[in-house]
Amino acid sequence: MSSERDDTIFALSSGAAPSGVAVIRLSGKGVRFGLETLIGEVPAPRLATLRTLRAPETAEILDRGLVLFFAGPASFTGEDVAELQVHGGRAVIASVLKALGTLQGYRHAEAGEFTRRAFENGRADLTEIEGLADLVAAETEMQRRLAIRQAEGGLRKLYEDWRHRLIRARALIEAGLDFVDEEDVPDDVMAPAWSEASGVAREMAAHLDDQHFGERVRDGFEVVLLGPPNAGKSSLMNALVRREAAIVTPEPGTTRDLIEVSLDIAGHAVTLVDTAGLRETESVVEREGIARARRRAGTADLVLALSDNDSWTETIPEGAASLRVRTKIDLLDSDSKRVSGEADIRVSARDGLGLDTLVRAIGEALDLVRPMPTTLITRSRQREGIAKSLGFLQELARDGNRAVEVKAELLRSAADALGRVTGKVDVEDLLDVIFAEFCIGK
């Protein structure tokens, strides 16, 4: 990331050309000068204005489009910002970018530089920025909902509340140390500090005890197809993903290794895993495939236990969330199709019967894995920071005979660990990694 903070940066912020409309974003102290040069004036803030864009040196018309101006600090980056909405042809975009590049103090933005300036100018903390990155990358409804909550400050508000409470607790302790002889400092001034720290620790522990649900929404749930050979696992996978992802033959044992496909099921990002058929076999390769199938099913978020004869003996791992799926119902007569048996869902991959019901059932089962609360950890960086802060508070609680000065230092360390999560404390080493996730123009 460039250190030239005084430069005015610009970039194409919309999708690749050609397109109906292209949005070119500018940010920095030279935005007003750039607008005056290209369109002859600075428009009223936050009001879309139709203007002609001209080349700085020749006054040649480049295009005619909408121009928006956002005066800092009330803008995305905290600086003066402008957006030029021009026609999305490659030549038009190239001509406008070329014109901007000729202006004094202007340069092309680097990846994530607009967002980094927003962070450095206090317009967003690191958790909000990570939420924004997740929102841009969201492919499912659940991912979108989780990302928007984080981008809107859900985690920031929680973590900053904890940090401020710990800072207050430390201030109470230091007041007791520094002003113990003062008449206006109560004798029991430190007691609320220990209570506050204990309360924050309990809340942190509950926050961490989430079965990594936020990461699973962000990265995807895992649904494993499990059952004997020729139960229709591969056929069902192909039907759900609507392509030939797995080989289907009448020969038992065709699938010997795990086959994974990513898809959106009822708003959830899902990795669907086809597995080897469960049976006794002399084949070393097939036995290894069956062992992998059982291991994967044991860690899956949901197991679809398949059977073509209403028998699920030893198919479902103990304690696993599962749906019993009766397959190949197209081979049954009309009376048999109406008999429910022990199956939760009855489907035909060939005819598509029951597939919509199965998709809804999978979505409902994943919803029950854990209801989505307001705040969820979505990244290992966040989890590690909260765990580190909690570790200091647990150390504080373990030994009540420590010197008060040591306890105050543990509170400072716990607050600083939280500050690193939000970006309030010493995060320079993290910034390049985080902002590298963004594209040019964001």
Side-chain angles (χ1 to χ4, degrees):
M1 189 68 69
S2 173
S3 61
E4 298 173 323
R5 290 287 294 109
D6 291 334
D7 289 346
T8 299
I9 57 175
F10 64 92
L12 177 67
S13 291
S14 53
S19 59
V21 176
V23 179
I24 297 172
R25 176 182 280 178
L26 296 68
S27 181
K29 65 180 185 180
V31 165
R32 295 170 189 260
F33 163 71
L35 291 174
E36 291 169 348
T37 303
L38 264 65
I39 67 171
E41 64 175 351
V42 178
R46 300 178 179 273
L47 181 66
T49 308
L50 182 64
R51 290 291 182 268
T52 298
L53 282 71
R54 298 180 180 272
E57 297 179 355
T58 66
E60 176 189 1
I61 295 176
L62 302 176
D63 195 18
R64 188 169 173 81
L66 291 177
V67 178
L68 289 103
F69 173 66
F70 305 88
S75 69
F76 174 70
T77 64
E79 305 170 327
D80 283 348
V81 170
E83 290 185 357
L84 311 177
Q85 299 182 12
V86 298
H87 292 95
R90 291 188 177 90
V92 172
I93 295 170
S95 68
V96 175
L97 293 178
K98 180 180 178 181
L100 290 170
T102 66
L103 300 180
Q104 182 71 28
Y106 272 63
R107 64 172 172 82
H108 282 274
E110 300 175 17
E113 190 167 4
F114 288 96
T115 307
R116 183 160 185 165
R117 288 192 175 191
F119 168 74
E120 291 174 343
N121 291 324
R123 298 294 294 171
D125 82 330
L126 289 186
T127 64
E128 291 170 319
I129 286 166
E130 287 170 331
L132 182 60
D134 290 344
L135 186 61
V136 172
E139 296 181 347
T140 71
E141 177 63 14
M142 290 289 285
Q143 289 174 333
R144 182 197 65 79
R145 288 167 55 193
L146 180 61
I148 198 71
R149 290 179 184 181
Q150 187 168 325
E152 291 294 316
L155 287 181
R156 173 186 57 79
K157 293 171 185 174
L158 176 64
Y159 296 165
E160 282 302 293
D161 174 66
W162 287 343
R163 182 168 175 266
H164 290 150
R165 288 160 64 186
L166 293 179
I167 291 173
R168 178 177 179 276
R170 182 184 171 205
L172 290 173
I173 292 172
E174 292 183 349
L177 287 172
D178 296 340
F179 305 104
V180 66
D181 296 327
E182 299 291 334
E183 294 182 358
D184 58 347
V185 178
D187 293 337
D188 60 349
V189 69
M190 296 186 191
W194 312 131
S195 176
E196 190 77 271
S198 178
V200 171
R202 286 194 301 271
E203 292 173 25
M204 283 184 179
H207 187 57
L208 289 168
D209 185 23
D210 61 354
Q211 291 84 53
H212 295 251
F213 184 71
E215 292 100 316
R216 286 151 74 188
V217 170
R218 179 174 176 264
D219 299 332
F221 291 93
E222 191 167 273
V223 176
V224 170
L225 302 174
L226 199 66
N230 282 356
K233 298 183 298 298
S234 298
S235 296
L236 182 58
M237 168 177 268
N238 292 342
L240 289 172
V241 303
R242 300 182 181 180
R243 63 182 176 87
E244 297 296 318
I247 297 173
V248 178
T249 72
E251 180 182 344
T254 302
T255 303
R256 296 191 174 190
D257 205 350
L258 304 174
I259 299 175
E260 302 181 12
V261 179
S262 298
L263 70 161
D264 180 342
I265 294 183
H268 297 276
V270 168
T271 298
L272 192 63
V273 185
D274 188 16
T275 63
L278 306 181
R279 66 171 179 174
E280 296 296 328
T281 178
E282 297 298 323
S283 169
V284 175
V285 174
E286 193 175 351
R287 282 206 306 269
E288 175 59 25
I290 292 169
R292 292 184 182 185
R294 293 190 184 279
R295 286 196 298 270
R296 198 62 171 269
T299 61
D301 296 296
L302 179 66
V303 174
L304 300 185
L306 273 59
S307 171
D308 61 357
N309 60 11
D310 285 316
S311 174
W312 286 272
T313 306
E314 298 182 356
T315 300
I316 305 173
E318 184 177 355
S322 63
L323 289 172
R324 292 169 297 186
V325 182
R326 172 63 159 92
T327 58
K328 304 181 184 180
I329 63 169
D330 55 291
L331 302 179
L332 302 177
D333 57 39
S334 299
D335 291 336
S336 298
K337 289 181 182 179
R338 288 194 294 267
V339 177
S340 61
E342 297 181 0
D344 297 307
I345 307 291
R346 298 161 68 79
V347 301
S348 168
R350 175 181 293 177
D351 297 342
L353 297 172
L355 290 183
D356 289 344
T357 302
L358 175 61
V359 168
R360 286 195 299 271
I362 293 172
E364 291 169 0
L366 294 179
D367 285 337
L368 292 174
V369 169
R370 182 182 174 95
M372 184 183 288
T374 304
T375 54
L376 278 172
I377 297 170
T378 59
R379 297 173 184 244
S380 60
R381 183 193 74 83
Q382 300 163 3
R383 188 173 297 280
E384 289 166 3
I386 301 304
K388 185 174 183 179
S389 181
L390 177 59
F392 288 121
L393 296 181
Q394 290 172 334
E395 186 177 349
L396 174 68
R398 271 195 297 269
D399 187 355
N401 296 321
R402 290 177 183 270
V404 175
E405 293 85 351
V406 175
K407 293 181 178 180
E409 180 61 20
L410 288 171
L411 283 173
R412 184 197 65 78
S413 298
D416 284 355
L418 281 173
R420 282 183 59 83
V421 177
T422 60
K424 295 290 186 182
V425 177
D426 185 25
V427 292
E428 189 64 32
D429 54 327
L430 294 174
L431 297 186
D432 288 343
V433 175
I434 291 173
F435 293 112
E437 295 187 27
F438 289 91
C439 58
I440 303 295
K442 189 59 181 172

